[in-house]
Amino acid sequence: MEIKGTNTTLRCAEPMKTNQRIVVFPLPFQGHINPMLQLANILHTQGFKITIIHTEYNSPIPSNYPHFIFKSIKDSFSEIADELSICTYPTYFVEYLNKSCVDPFKECLARLLTESDTDLVACVITDAGFYFTQSVLDDLKIPRMVLNTSSLGSILAYDALPFYSKKDCFNLTKEDSNFEAQVPAYPLLKYKDMVKITTDPQSMGDYVSNLHNTMKASSGIIWNTFKELEQLEQETISQHLPVPHFTLGPFNKYFPASSSSLIQQDRTIMSWLDTKPPKSTIYVSFGSVAHISEAEFKQVANVLANNGLPFLWVVRPGMVHGTKWIESLPENFLEGLGERGRVVKWSPQQEVLAHPATGCFWTHNGWNSTLESVCEGVPMICSPKYVDQPINARYVTDVWKIGVMLENGFEWNEMEMAIKRVMMDKEGDEMRERISCLKNKLNISLDEGGSSKESLNDLVHYISSL
Ligand code: UDX
Protein backbone atom coordinates (compact mmCIF):
# COMPACT_ATOMS: atom_id res chain seq x y z
CA MET A 1 0.00 0.00 0.00
CA GLU A 2 1.34 3.45 -0.88
CA ILE A 3 0.60 6.61 1.03
CA LYS A 4 1.48 9.91 -0.57
CA GLY A 5 3.04 12.49 1.73
CA THR A 6 3.96 16.09 0.92
CA ASN A 7 6.99 15.10 -1.06
CA THR A 8 7.66 11.54 -0.17
CA THR A 9 6.02 8.19 -0.59
CA LEU A 10 6.05 5.79 2.31
CA ARG A 11 5.39 2.14 1.77
CA CYS A 12 3.16 0.62 4.45
CA ALA A 13 2.39 -3.03 4.90
CA GLU A 14 -1.08 -4.09 3.75
CA PRO A 15 -3.42 -3.20 6.60
CA MET A 16 -4.35 -6.03 8.92
CA LYS A 17 -8.00 -6.94 9.07
CA THR A 18 -9.01 -5.93 12.57
CA ASN A 19 -12.12 -4.95 14.44
CA GLN A 20 -10.01 -3.00 16.88
CA ARG A 21 -10.78 0.64 17.47
CA ILE A 22 -8.37 3.25 18.77
CA VAL A 23 -9.75 6.34 20.48
CA VAL A 24 -7.55 9.44 20.34
CA PHE A 25 -7.82 12.63 22.41
CA PRO A 26 -5.64 15.59 21.30
CA LEU A 27 -4.96 18.79 23.26
CA PRO A 28 -6.82 21.55 21.41
CA PHE A 29 -3.87 23.51 20.03
CA GLN A 30 -2.54 23.45 16.47
CA GLY A 31 0.89 22.09 17.45
CA HIS A 32 -0.82 19.17 19.21
CA ILE A 33 -3.73 18.55 16.82
CA ASN A 34 -1.48 18.18 13.76
CA PRO A 35 0.68 15.32 15.07
CA MET A 36 -2.29 13.53 16.71
CA LEU A 37 -4.33 13.51 13.51
CA GLN A 38 -1.28 12.46 11.51
CA LEU A 39 -0.75 9.57 13.94
CA ALA A 40 -4.45 8.64 13.69
CA ASN A 41 -4.10 8.51 9.89
CA ILE A 42 -0.99 6.35 10.15
CA LEU A 43 -2.74 3.88 12.46
CA HIS A 44 -5.83 3.86 10.24
CA THR A 45 -3.70 2.68 7.31
CA GLN A 46 -2.59 -0.17 9.57
CA GLY A 47 -6.17 -1.40 9.85
CA PHE A 48 -7.39 0.26 13.05
CA LYS A 49 -10.70 2.09 13.24
CA ILE A 50 -10.38 5.57 14.69
CA THR A 51 -12.57 7.67 16.95
CA ILE A 52 -11.47 11.21 17.80
CA ILE A 53 -12.70 12.71 21.06
CA HIS A 54 -12.10 16.45 20.86
CA THR A 55 -13.00 19.61 22.74
CA GLU A 56 -15.43 22.13 21.25
CA TYR A 57 -12.64 24.68 21.47
CA ASN A 58 -10.42 24.49 18.36
CA SER A 59 -12.40 21.57 16.98
CA PRO A 60 -10.80 19.75 14.04
CA ILE A 61 -12.88 19.72 10.83
CA PRO A 62 -14.63 16.31 10.70
CA SER A 63 -15.44 16.59 6.96
CA ASN A 64 -11.69 16.45 6.23
CA TYR A 65 -11.64 12.99 7.81
CA PRO A 66 -14.65 11.01 6.59
CA HIS A 67 -12.92 7.78 7.63
CA PHE A 68 -12.94 8.78 11.34
CA ILE A 69 -15.74 9.11 13.89
CA PHE A 70 -15.70 12.43 15.78
CA LYS A 71 -17.11 12.96 19.28
CA SER A 72 -17.17 16.49 20.63
CA ILE A 73 -17.04 17.26 24.36
CA LYS A 74 -17.86 20.48 26.21
CA ASP A 75 -14.82 22.11 27.75
CA SER A 76 -16.03 25.58 28.84
CA PHE A 77 -12.63 26.74 27.67
CA SER A 78 -13.47 29.41 25.10
CA GLU A 79 -14.44 31.90 27.83
CA ILE A 80 -11.02 31.90 29.50
CA ALA A 81 -9.06 31.38 26.27
CA ASP A 82 -10.43 34.66 24.91
CA GLU A 83 -9.51 36.52 28.06
CA LEU A 84 -6.05 35.15 28.83
CA SER A 85 -3.09 34.74 26.52
CA ILE A 86 -1.89 31.14 26.29
CA CYS A 87 1.60 32.49 25.71
CA THR A 88 1.59 34.06 29.18
CA TYR A 89 -0.19 31.22 30.98
CA PRO A 90 0.52 27.98 29.10
CA THR A 91 0.55 25.67 32.10
CA TYR A 92 -2.55 27.34 33.58
CA PHE A 93 -4.43 26.59 30.33
CA VAL A 94 -3.43 22.93 30.38
CA GLU A 95 -4.28 22.64 34.09
CA TYR A 96 -7.70 24.20 33.43
CA LEU A 97 -8.41 21.71 30.63
CA ASN A 98 -7.33 18.83 32.85
CA LYS A 99 -10.07 19.82 35.29
CA SER A 100 -12.84 20.98 32.97
CA CYS A 101 -12.67 17.94 30.66
CA VAL A 102 -12.87 15.20 33.32
CA ASP A 103 -16.64 14.67 33.43
CA PRO A 104 -17.35 15.33 29.73
CA PHE A 105 -14.53 12.93 28.76
CA LYS A 106 -15.79 10.19 31.12
CA GLU A 107 -19.37 10.55 29.85
CA CYS A 108 -18.29 10.55 26.22
CA LEU A 109 -16.16 7.45 26.69
CA ALA A 110 -18.91 5.62 28.59
CA ARG A 111 -21.38 6.32 25.73
CA LEU A 112 -18.82 5.25 23.18
CA LEU A 113 -18.11 1.96 24.95
CA THR A 114 -21.77 1.00 24.94
CA GLU A 115 -22.25 2.14 21.31
CA SER A 116 -19.27 0.39 19.74
CA ASP A 117 -20.43 -3.10 20.67
CA THR A 118 -18.82 -4.81 17.69
CA ASP A 119 -15.47 -2.98 17.93
CA LEU A 120 -13.02 -3.65 20.68
CA VAL A 121 -11.40 -0.45 22.00
CA ALA A 122 -7.77 -1.54 21.93
CA CYS A 123 -6.50 1.58 23.68
CA VAL A 124 -6.98 5.31 24.08
CA ILE A 125 -4.13 7.50 22.86
CA THR A 126 -4.18 10.85 24.62
CA ASP A 127 -1.88 13.82 24.39
CA ALA A 128 0.68 13.67 27.22
CA GLY A 129 -0.73 17.03 28.39
CA PHE A 130 -4.10 15.39 29.15
CA TYR A 131 -2.65 13.72 32.23
CA PHE A 132 -6.05 13.44 34.01
CA THR A 133 -6.99 10.62 31.60
CA GLN A 134 -4.59 8.13 33.20
CA SER A 135 -6.70 7.55 36.32
CA VAL A 136 -9.96 7.64 34.32
CA LEU A 137 -8.69 4.92 31.99
CA ASP A 138 -7.14 2.92 34.84
CA ASP A 139 -10.57 2.81 36.48
CA LEU A 140 -12.14 1.62 33.24
CA LYS A 141 -9.28 -0.87 32.69
CA ILE A 142 -8.59 0.54 29.22
CA PRO A 143 -4.91 0.87 28.28
CA ARG A 144 -3.74 4.47 27.88
CA MET A 145 -1.02 5.17 25.34
CA VAL A 146 0.52 8.63 25.37
CA LEU A 147 1.44 10.80 22.41
CA ASN A 148 4.18 13.19 23.42
CA THR A 149 4.26 15.98 20.82
CA SER A 150 7.53 17.44 22.14
CA SER A 151 11.10 16.32 21.55
CA LEU A 152 12.71 13.68 23.76
CA GLY A 153 15.37 16.27 24.64
CA SER A 154 12.85 18.76 26.00
CA ILE A 155 11.21 16.17 28.27
CA LEU A 156 14.65 15.15 29.57
CA ALA A 157 15.51 18.77 30.25
CA TYR A 158 12.21 19.36 32.11
CA ASP A 159 12.96 16.39 34.35
CA ALA A 160 16.36 17.82 35.22
CA LEU A 161 15.40 21.45 35.87
CA PRO A 162 15.00 22.59 39.49
CA PHE A 163 11.50 24.06 39.22
CA TYR A 164 10.80 23.78 42.94
CA SER A 165 14.22 24.13 44.54
CA LYS A 166 15.76 27.04 42.60
CA LYS A 167 12.79 29.21 41.74
CA ASP A 168 14.91 32.35 41.70
CA CYS A 169 16.82 31.09 38.66
CA PHE A 170 13.68 31.48 36.57
CA ASN A 171 13.57 35.21 37.26
CA LEU A 172 17.16 36.22 36.51
CA THR A 173 17.76 39.33 34.44
CA LYS A 174 20.55 40.35 32.06
CA GLU A 175 22.26 42.10 34.95
CA ASP A 176 22.72 38.87 36.93
CA SER A 177 26.20 37.39 36.59
CA ASN A 178 24.76 33.89 36.00
CA PHE A 179 22.49 34.91 33.13
CA GLU A 180 24.79 33.59 30.38
CA ALA A 181 26.12 30.66 32.43
CA GLN A 182 25.30 26.99 31.83
CA VAL A 183 22.68 25.31 34.01
CA PRO A 184 24.53 22.52 35.92
CA ALA A 185 21.46 20.24 35.86
CA TYR A 186 21.31 20.41 32.04
CA PRO A 187 24.47 22.08 30.70
CA LEU A 188 23.12 22.44 27.17
CA LEU A 189 20.89 25.19 28.59
CA LYS A 190 21.85 28.61 29.90
CA TYR A 191 20.12 30.36 32.77
CA LYS A 192 18.66 32.78 30.26
CA ASP A 193 16.91 29.83 28.59
CA MET A 194 15.32 28.89 31.92
CA VAL A 195 13.88 32.38 32.16
CA LYS A 196 12.16 31.79 28.83
CA ILE A 197 10.92 28.27 29.61
CA THR A 198 8.69 29.63 32.37
CA THR A 199 8.18 32.61 34.61
CA ASP A 200 6.05 30.46 36.94
CA PRO A 201 8.31 27.60 38.11
CA GLN A 202 5.78 26.27 40.65
CA SER A 203 3.09 25.77 38.01
CA MET A 204 5.57 24.43 35.44
CA GLY A 205 7.00 22.06 38.09
CA ASP A 206 3.50 20.75 38.85
CA TYR A 207 2.85 20.29 35.14
CA VAL A 208 6.11 18.41 34.62
CA SER A 209 5.52 16.20 37.62
CA ASN A 210 1.96 15.32 36.42
CA LEU A 211 3.33 14.63 32.96
CA HIS A 212 6.12 12.43 34.28
CA ASN A 213 4.00 10.39 36.71
CA THR A 214 1.22 9.67 34.25
CA MET A 215 3.60 8.82 31.39
CA LYS A 216 5.29 6.38 33.75
CA ALA A 217 1.93 4.79 34.57
CA SER A 218 0.86 4.56 30.92
CA SER A 219 1.02 1.52 28.65
CA GLY A 220 3.56 3.21 26.38
CA ILE A 221 4.74 6.48 24.86
CA ILE A 222 4.70 7.47 21.19
CA TRP A 223 7.14 10.20 20.12
CA ASN A 224 7.12 12.31 16.98
CA THR A 225 10.85 11.98 16.44
CA PHE A 226 13.26 9.48 14.90
CA LYS A 227 15.96 7.40 16.53
CA GLU A 228 18.90 8.80 14.55
CA LEU A 229 18.08 12.34 15.73
CA GLU A 230 17.70 11.66 19.47
CA GLN A 231 19.28 8.31 20.18
CA LEU A 232 21.04 9.22 23.44
CA GLU A 233 17.97 11.01 24.73
CA GLN A 234 15.86 7.95 23.93
CA GLU A 235 18.19 5.66 25.86
CA THR A 236 18.12 7.96 28.90
CA ILE A 237 14.34 8.44 28.83
CA SER A 238 13.82 4.68 28.64
CA GLN A 239 15.57 4.47 32.01
CA HIS A 240 13.57 7.35 33.55
CA LEU A 241 10.27 6.06 32.19
CA PRO A 242 10.46 2.27 31.97
CA VAL A 243 7.51 1.71 29.62
CA PRO A 244 7.62 0.85 25.89
CA HIS A 245 8.72 3.79 23.70
CA PHE A 246 7.96 4.18 20.01
CA THR A 247 9.81 6.68 17.81
CA LEU A 248 8.13 6.49 14.44
CA GLY A 249 8.38 10.12 13.35
CA PRO A 250 8.39 12.44 11.64
CA PHE A 251 4.64 11.89 11.23
CA ASN A 252 4.34 14.63 8.63
CA LYS A 253 6.38 12.54 6.17
CA TYR A 254 3.52 10.04 6.11
CA PHE A 255 0.74 12.63 5.61
CA PRO A 256 0.60 16.38 5.03
CA ALA A 257 -0.82 18.41 7.94
CA SER A 258 -2.95 20.78 5.87
CA SER A 259 -6.21 18.97 6.52
CA SER A 260 -5.83 19.54 10.27
CA SER A 261 -5.07 23.24 9.91
CA LEU A 262 -7.33 25.38 12.10
CA ILE A 263 -6.66 28.49 10.00
CA GLN A 264 -7.18 28.85 6.25
CA GLN A 265 -3.81 28.50 4.51
CA ASP A 266 -2.93 31.12 1.91
CA ARG A 267 -1.93 29.03 -1.11
CA THR A 268 -1.38 31.97 -3.47
CA ILE A 269 2.16 32.25 -2.17
CA MET A 270 3.20 28.98 -3.79
CA SER A 271 3.16 30.52 -7.29
CA TRP A 272 4.93 33.59 -5.87
CA LEU A 273 7.64 31.29 -4.46
CA ASP A 274 7.98 29.71 -7.93
CA THR A 275 9.33 33.06 -9.19
CA LYS A 276 12.20 33.12 -6.67
CA PRO A 277 15.69 31.67 -7.26
CA PRO A 278 16.70 28.47 -5.40
CA LYS A 279 17.47 28.94 -1.67
CA SER A 280 16.94 32.70 -1.95
CA THR A 281 13.95 33.23 0.34
CA ILE A 282 13.67 33.64 4.11
CA TYR A 283 10.54 31.99 5.55
CA VAL A 284 9.47 33.57 8.86
CA SER A 285 6.84 32.06 11.15
CA PHE A 286 6.45 31.96 14.91
CA GLY A 287 3.86 29.19 15.05
CA SER A 288 0.30 29.06 16.26
CA VAL A 289 0.44 30.51 19.79
CA ALA A 290 3.56 32.67 20.32
CA HIS A 291 3.10 36.45 20.50
CA ILE A 292 5.53 39.31 19.97
CA SER A 293 5.40 42.94 21.04
CA GLU A 294 4.65 45.74 18.61
CA ALA A 295 8.23 47.03 18.98
CA GLU A 296 9.66 43.58 18.14
CA PHE A 297 7.31 43.30 15.18
CA LYS A 298 8.51 46.62 13.75
CA GLN A 299 12.17 45.64 14.26
CA VAL A 300 11.67 42.37 12.36
CA ALA A 301 9.79 44.24 9.59
CA ASN A 302 12.62 46.73 9.20
CA VAL A 303 15.31 44.06 9.07
CA LEU A 304 13.38 42.06 6.46
CA ALA A 305 12.73 45.19 4.40
CA ASN A 306 16.34 46.40 4.56
CA ASN A 307 18.40 43.30 3.88
CA GLY A 308 17.28 42.89 0.27
CA LEU A 309 16.48 39.15 0.24
CA PRO A 310 13.03 37.79 -0.69
CA PHE A 311 10.96 36.83 2.32
CA LEU A 312 7.65 35.24 3.23
CA TRP A 313 6.36 36.22 6.66
CA VAL A 314 3.45 34.57 8.48
CA VAL A 315 1.75 37.07 10.80
CA ARG A 316 -1.20 35.41 12.50
CA PRO A 317 -4.06 37.81 13.29
CA GLY A 318 -3.55 38.78 16.95
CA MET A 319 0.08 37.58 17.03
CA VAL A 320 1.34 41.12 17.67
CA HIS A 321 0.28 42.30 21.12
CA GLY A 322 -2.31 45.07 21.05
CA THR A 323 -2.97 44.91 17.30
CA LYS A 324 -5.39 43.09 15.03
CA TRP A 325 -2.98 42.17 12.26
CA ILE A 326 -0.32 44.26 10.48
CA GLU A 327 -1.75 47.75 10.92
CA SER A 328 1.33 48.86 12.87
CA LEU A 329 3.64 48.36 9.88
CA PRO A 330 5.12 51.60 8.55
CA GLU A 331 3.01 53.30 5.88
CA ASN A 332 3.54 51.88 2.37
CA PHE A 333 5.67 49.06 3.79
CA LEU A 334 4.06 46.38 1.61
CA GLU A 335 3.93 48.57 -1.51
CA GLY A 336 7.61 49.41 -1.06
CA LEU A 337 8.53 45.73 -1.15
CA GLY A 338 7.05 45.11 -4.59
CA GLU A 339 7.41 41.43 -5.47
CA ARG A 340 10.25 40.86 -3.00
CA GLY A 341 8.23 40.16 0.16
CA ARG A 342 4.91 38.71 1.16
CA VAL A 343 3.07 38.84 4.49
CA VAL A 344 0.31 36.25 4.98
CA LYS A 345 -1.96 35.18 7.83
CA TRP A 346 -1.17 31.47 7.58
CA SER A 347 0.80 29.37 5.09
CA PRO A 348 0.92 25.77 3.90
CA GLN A 349 4.14 25.53 5.93
CA GLN A 350 5.31 22.06 4.97
CA GLU A 351 5.02 22.91 1.29
CA VAL A 352 6.77 26.23 1.79
CA LEU A 353 9.67 24.49 3.54
CA ALA A 354 9.83 21.88 0.78
CA HIS A 355 9.91 24.54 -1.95
CA PRO A 356 13.33 24.90 -3.65
CA ALA A 357 13.23 28.72 -3.21
CA THR A 358 13.20 28.49 0.60
CA GLY A 359 16.70 29.19 1.94
CA CYS A 360 16.15 29.43 5.68
CA PHE A 361 13.43 29.23 8.33
CA TRP A 362 13.27 31.96 10.95
CA THR A 363 11.26 30.07 13.56
CA HIS A 364 10.06 30.00 17.18
CA ASN A 365 11.21 26.33 17.30
CA GLY A 366 7.92 24.69 18.19
CA TRP A 367 8.72 20.99 17.85
CA ASN A 368 6.58 20.48 14.71
CA SER A 369 8.22 23.42 12.95
CA THR A 370 11.70 22.28 13.97
CA LEU A 371 11.07 18.76 12.71
CA GLU A 372 9.45 19.99 9.48
CA SER A 373 12.56 22.09 8.81
CA VAL A 374 14.80 19.03 9.34
CA CYS A 375 12.52 17.05 6.98
CA GLU A 376 13.18 19.53 4.19
CA GLY A 377 16.83 20.26 4.98
CA VAL A 378 16.25 23.98 5.69
CA PRO A 379 18.62 25.63 8.23
CA MET A 380 17.08 27.81 10.92
CA ILE A 381 17.30 31.17 12.65
CA CYS A 382 15.98 30.56 16.16
CA SER A 383 13.70 32.93 18.08
CA PRO A 384 12.31 30.61 20.77
CA LYS A 385 9.61 32.03 23.00
CA TYR A 386 8.68 29.66 25.82
CA VAL A 387 8.18 26.16 27.32
CA ASP A 388 9.93 23.60 25.06
CA GLN A 389 10.99 26.07 22.37
CA PRO A 390 14.21 27.35 24.07
CA ILE A 391 15.27 23.72 24.57
CA ASN A 392 14.54 22.73 20.96
CA ALA A 393 16.45 25.81 19.81
CA ARG A 394 19.57 24.83 21.82
CA TYR A 395 19.52 21.39 20.21
CA VAL A 396 19.27 23.05 16.77
CA THR A 397 22.15 25.47 17.35
CA ASP A 398 24.49 23.70 19.80
CA VAL A 399 23.93 19.96 19.25
CA TRP A 400 22.90 19.43 15.64
CA LYS A 401 24.49 22.76 14.54
CA ILE A 402 21.87 23.45 11.90
CA GLY A 403 20.88 26.97 12.89
CA VAL A 404 21.78 30.27 14.53
CA MET A 405 20.26 31.52 17.80
CA LEU A 406 19.12 35.10 18.28
CA GLU A 407 20.59 35.24 21.77
CA ASN A 408 19.30 38.73 22.56
CA GLY A 409 15.74 38.66 21.30
CA PHE A 410 15.08 40.91 18.32
CA GLU A 411 18.23 43.01 18.46
CA TRP A 412 18.90 44.74 15.10
CA ASN A 413 22.58 43.86 14.49
CA GLU A 414 22.16 40.31 15.66
CA MET A 415 19.19 39.74 13.33
CA GLU A 416 21.14 41.13 10.36
CA MET A 417 24.19 39.01 11.22
CA ALA A 418 22.09 35.87 11.65
CA ILE A 419 20.54 36.27 8.19
CA LYS A 420 23.98 36.84 6.69
CA ARG A 421 25.49 33.83 8.49
CA VAL A 422 22.75 31.43 7.33
CA MET A 423 22.00 32.82 3.87
CA MET A 424 25.37 34.09 2.62
CA ASP A 425 28.31 32.77 4.61
CA LYS A 426 30.23 29.50 4.38
CA GLU A 427 28.88 28.76 7.86
CA GLY A 428 25.37 28.58 6.32
CA ASP A 429 26.59 26.12 3.66
CA GLU A 430 28.02 23.93 6.43
CA MET A 431 24.70 24.01 8.29
CA ARG A 432 22.95 23.09 5.06
CA GLU A 433 25.27 20.10 4.66
CA ARG A 434 24.62 18.90 8.21
CA ILE A 435 20.86 19.28 7.92
CA SER A 436 20.87 17.50 4.52
CA CYS A 437 22.67 14.64 6.21
CA LEU A 438 19.96 14.48 8.91
CA LYS A 439 17.31 14.63 6.19
CA ASN A 440 18.89 11.61 4.48
CA LYS A 441 18.99 9.65 7.76
CA LEU A 442 15.36 10.54 8.34
CA ASN A 443 14.33 9.30 4.90
CA ILE A 444 16.21 6.04 5.47
CA SER A 445 14.48 5.62 8.84
CA LEU A 446 11.12 5.62 7.05
CA ASP A 447 12.14 2.99 4.49
CA GLU A 448 11.62 -0.74 4.88
CA GLY A 449 13.94 -1.92 7.68
CA GLY A 450 14.54 1.69 8.87
CA SER A 451 14.16 2.64 12.54
CA SER A 452 10.87 4.56 12.26
CA LYS A 453 9.33 1.94 10.01
CA GLU A 454 10.33 -0.81 12.48
CA SER A 455 8.98 1.21 15.39
CA LEU A 456 5.65 1.62 13.60
CA ASN A 457 5.47 -2.17 13.09
CA ASP A 458 6.29 -2.68 16.77
CA LEU A 459 3.59 -0.20 17.79
CA VAL A 460 0.93 -1.92 15.64
CA HIS A 461 1.76 -5.32 17.13
CA TYR A 462 1.94 -3.89 20.64
CA ILE A 463 -1.48 -2.20 20.40
CA SER A 464 -2.99 -5.35 18.89
CA SER A 465 -1.71 -7.35 21.86
CA LEU A 466 -2.93 -5.00 24.63
C1 UDX B 1 3.01 24.57 20.33
C2 UDX B 1 4.19 24.98 21.16
O1 UDX B 1 4.46 26.35 20.93
C3 UDX B 1 5.37 24.14 20.81
O2 UDX B 1 6.47 24.58 21.53
C4 UDX B 1 5.06 22.67 21.06
O3 UDX B 1 6.17 21.89 20.66
C5 UDX B 1 3.81 22.28 20.27
O4 UDX B 1 2.76 23.17 20.55
P1 UDX B 1 3.07 25.77 17.92
O5 UDX B 1 3.33 27.15 18.33
O6 UDX B 1 1.76 25.47 17.37
O7 UDX B 1 3.35 24.67 19.01
O8 UDX B 1 4.27 25.40 16.91
P2 UDX B 1 4.65 24.06 16.19
O9 UDX B 1 4.90 22.94 17.11
O10 UDX B 1 5.77 24.42 15.32
O11 UDX B 1 3.37 23.70 15.32
C6 UDX B 1 2.82 24.58 14.39
C7 UDX B 1 2.16 23.78 13.30
O12 UDX B 1 1.39 24.69 12.50
C8 UDX B 1 3.17 23.11 12.37
O13 UDX B 1 2.74 21.81 12.05
C9 UDX B 1 3.17 23.99 11.13
O14 UDX B 1 3.39 23.31 9.92
C10 UDX B 1 1.76 24.56 11.15
N1 UDX B 1 1.76 25.89 10.50
C11 UDX B 1 2.44 26.92 11.06
C12 UDX B 1 1.07 26.05 9.32
O15 UDX B 1 0.45 25.10 8.79
N2 UDX B 1 1.08 27.28 8.74
C13 UDX B 1 1.73 28.35 9.27
O16 UDX B 1 1.66 29.44 8.68
C14 UDX B 1 2.45 28.16 10.48
Side-chain angles (χ1 to χ4, degrees):
M1 182 189 187
E2 283 193 353
I3 300 166
K4 301 281 182 196
T6 23
N7 59 352
T8 190
T9 301
L10 178 77
R11 290 183 183 282
C12 286
E14 279 305 320
M16 299 177 308
K17 299 260 177 301
T18 171
N19 65 347
Q20 286 188 309
R21 181 168 292 281
I22 296 175
V23 177
V24 309
F25 186 35
L27 263 187
F29 305 109
Q30 186 74 75
H32 295 256
I33 291 171
N34 282 359
M36 186 63 100
L37 289 180
Q38 288 160 357
L39 176 65
N41 262 333
I42 294 167
L43 292 170
H44 184 259
T45 64
Q46 301 298 305
F48 294 102
K49 295 171 186 169
I50 303 289
T51 297
I52 316 269
I53 299 183
H54 63 91
T55 56
E56 285 178 340
Y57 177 78
N58 275 349
S59 163
I61 302 165
S63 57
N64 288 344
Y65 299 89
H67 48 306
F68 295 163
I69 293 175
F70 285 81
K71 301 276 178 192
S72 170
I73 61 169
K74 284 204 178 304
D75 50 74
S76 58
F77 188 61
S78 306
E79 300 103 73
I80 66 148
D82 290 345
E83 278 167 32
L84 301 174
S85 148
I86 185 170
C87 202
T88 324
Y89 306 99
T91 44
Y92 174 76
F93 270 47
V94 174
E95 198 187 320
Y96 183 95
L97 279 167
N98 270 278
K99 288 181 185 146
S100 70
C101 289
V102 178
D103 289 337
F105 177 76
K106 275 188 191 167
E107 285 157 22
C108 180
L109 202 57
R111 269 198 309 277
L112 204 146
L113 291 173
T114 49
E115 276 169 18
S116 58
D117 44 7
T118 49
D119 300 329
L120 190 71
V121 174
C123 69
V124 178
I125 304 179
T126 87
D127 192 291
F130 269 135
Y131 44 78
F132 82 87
T133 55
Q134 187 63 48
S135 62
V136 173
L137 293 165
D138 282 348
D139 288 348
L140 291 168
K141 303 208 172 6
I142 299 175
R144 174 187 181 236
M145 298 284 298
V146 171
L147 168 63
N148 202 314
T149 61
S150 312
S151 65
L152 283 154
S154 64
I155 298 296
L156 260 192
Y158 291 164
D159 275 352
L161 293 180
F163 292 111
Y164 299 117
S165 57
K166 297 209 170 138
K167 288 186 190 177
D168 290 352
C169 299
F170 292 88
N171 296 319
L172 296 184
T173 61
K174 265 184 181 169
E175 285 65 46
D176 287 293
S177 57
N178 265 348
F179 197 63
E180 298 281 343
Q182 289 177 313
V183 178
Y186 209 82
L188 175 64
L189 299 179
K190 300 183 177 177
Y191 280 97
K192 65 180 182 186
D193 300 323
M194 282 171 67
V195 171
K196 281 191 191 156
I197 289 170
T198 185
T199 48
D200 186 353
Q202 178 74 39
S203 161
M204 184 74 191
D206 291 348
Y207 169 69
V208 168
S209 138
N210 282 323
L211 212 60
H212 185 105
N213 293 339
T214 53
M215 285 199 290
K216 204 169 178 177
S218 75
S219 298
I221 309 172
I222 304 165
W223 301 88
N224 187 12
T225 188
F226 60 106
K227 185 178 160 192
E228 289 72 12
L229 188 68
E230 298 195 277
Q231 186 152 12
L232 281 180
E233 288 73 19
Q234 188 180 348
E235 285 163 14
T236 315
I237 278 228
S238 301
Q239 289 162 13
H240 289 207
L241 300 167
V243 294
H245 293 261
F246 303 91
T247 51
L248 47 134
F251 302 164
N252 64 299
K253 292 301 273 186
Y254 299 67
F255 289 101
S258 52
S259 46
S260 58
S261 194
L262 298 168
I263 310 177
Q264 173 95 33
Q265 296 176 325
D266 184 338
R267 303 197 57 81
T268 61
I269 49 175
M270 296 314 292
S271 52
W272 173 83
L273 269 177
D274 289 343
T275 66
K276 302 290 168 252
K279 302 194 189 334
S280 64
T281 305
I282 308 169
Y283 172 58
V284 190
S285 169
F286 302 135
S288 68
V289 282
H291 290 82
I292 59 175
S293 70
E294 199 176 329
E296 291 171 331
F297 176 65
K298 288 181 178 166
Q299 280 281 63
V300 175
N302 283 331
V303 166
L304 290 172
N306 281 347
N307 84 57
L309 293 170
F311 68 87
L312 169 62
W313 187 9
V314 176
V315 181
R316 263 179 11 252
M319 180 188 95
V320 183
H321 279 301
T323 70
K324 285 202 163 69
W325 189 39
I326 54 173
E327 63 273 19
S328 59
L329 281 178
E331 213 171 316
N332 297 327
F333 177 86
L334 293 177
E335 293 77 358
L337 293 172
E339 281 303 297
R340 186 164 67 79
R342 280 277 190 280
V343 179
V344 295
K345 292 180 177 164
W346 199 242
S347 79
Q349 177 162 301
Q350 291 171 31
E351 288 168 63
V352 169
L353 289 169
H355 195 286
T358 304
C360 92
F361 183 11
W362 187 346
T363 169
H364 69 312
N365 288 111
W367 183 238
N368 296 290
S369 293
T370 304
L371 210 49
E372 288 161 14
S373 214
V374 172
C375 286
E376 305 309 336
V378 177
M380 288 164 256
I381 295 174
C382 304
S383 287
K385 281 280 153 184
Y386 70 147
V387 194
D388 59 335
Q389 299 158 11
I391 308 167
N392 298 336
R394 283 286 166 217
Y395 273 91
V396 165
T397 58
D398 297 8
V399 178
W400 306 318
K401 302 188 190 314
I402 52 176
V404 168
M405 180 82 87
L406 292 179
E407 297 281 353
N408 302 298
F410 294 100
E411 201 264 326
W412 179 278
N413 287 338
E414 201 183 8
M415 288 192 279
E416 293 226 300
M417 274 309 293
I419 293 174
K420 182 172 169 299
R421 284 169 67 190
V422 178
M423 294 294 283
M424 294 162 200
D425 290 356
K426 188 161 173 280
E427 192 187 355
D429 293 336
E430 289 164 0
M431 287 178 206
R432 217 160 266 118
E433 265 172 42
R434 283 191 285 269
I435 200 165
S436 295
C437 182
L438 283 178
K439 179 183 167 180
N440 287 340
K441 287 185 182 170
L442 173 164
N443 284 331
I444 292 169
S445 80
L446 293 165
D447 282 344
E448 205 57 54
S451 63
S452 290
K453 184 67 203 299
E454 291 292 296
S455 192
L456 171 60
N457 292 340
D458 291 347
L459 175 65
V460 170
H461 286 115
Y462 182 67
I463 292 179
S464 304
S465 69
L466 282 171

